Amino acid sequence: MVKKKTIKKKTVKKKISKKKAKSKILKKVKPECYFVLIDGKKITNLPQLALEIETMNDDVFFHHVREDNNDFANWIKEVIGEIKLADKIIGINEKNDLQLEMLKHIVKSIK
């Protein structure tokens, strides 16, 4: 009996932590933490950033993604709290590749 209760508790904890991770990925950040692009557009969450990259002007993209710094990775790490994703994209400097990694991460997180 004791073992069954322990197993059930672990299952519930896994479901709760996965739900928290999912909501963290999709949730909008507080207005003071929005990512403001150089053109003034405000990004409120990770899915919005991933979708925005597709239509983003190259000048805007390369202002935020440079050889020595990746503002998107920094925001994802510091504000969104997705350290693994940030570490994965820090060296990516192509729009399509960066967007693909973000979308793959989002999909894996909400499965």
Side-chain angles (χ1 to χ4, degrees):
M1 287 266 193
V2 175
K3 289 182 182 179
K4 287 183 180 179
K5 287 181 182 179
T6 304
I7 292 170
K8 286 182 181 180
K9 286 181 182 179
K10 287 181 182 179
T11 304
V12 171
K13 285 181 183 179
K14 285 181 183 178
K15 286 181 182 179
I16 290 171
S17 63
K18 193 167 188 174
K19 187 176 181 179
K20 283 182 183 179
K22 189 186 301 188
S23 66
K24 183 173 75 170
I25 294 283
L26 302 176
K27 188 176 178 183
K28 289 183 179 182
V29 299
K30 295 177 183 176
E32 61 268 19
C33 296
Y34 288 173
F35 188 100
V36 182
L37 297 170
I38 190 70
D39 65 359
K41 177 124 182 161
K42 294 178 182 173
I43 305 297
T44 63
N45 62 18
L46 185 58
Q48 183 187 5
L49 175 59
L51 294 175
E52 185 65 32
I53 286 174
E54 188 169 352
T55 58
M56 189 178 291
N57 181 296
D58 285 346
D59 291 338
V60 173
F61 179 81
F62 289 113
H63 173 83
H64 294 289
V65 177
R66 299 176 302 281
E67 199 171 298
D68 63 331
N69 191 33
N70 185 324
D71 296 335
F72 300 139
N74 294 336
W75 184 72
I76 289 167
K77 183 177 186 177
E78 300 298 325
V79 176
I80 305 295
E82 289 294 315
I83 297 167
K84 287 181 183 179
L85 175 60
D87 290 345
K88 196 172 219 179
I89 68 167
I90 193 84
I92 298 175
N93 59 5
E94 294 295 324
K95 285 169 66 172
N96 290 340
D97 295 339
L98 188 66
Q99 183 187 39
L100 180 62
E101 285 303 322
M102 287 181 187
L103 291 173
K104 285 189 327 189
H105 185 83
I106 292 166
V107 169
K108 284 180 185 175
S109 298
I110 61 174
K111 274 188 167 181

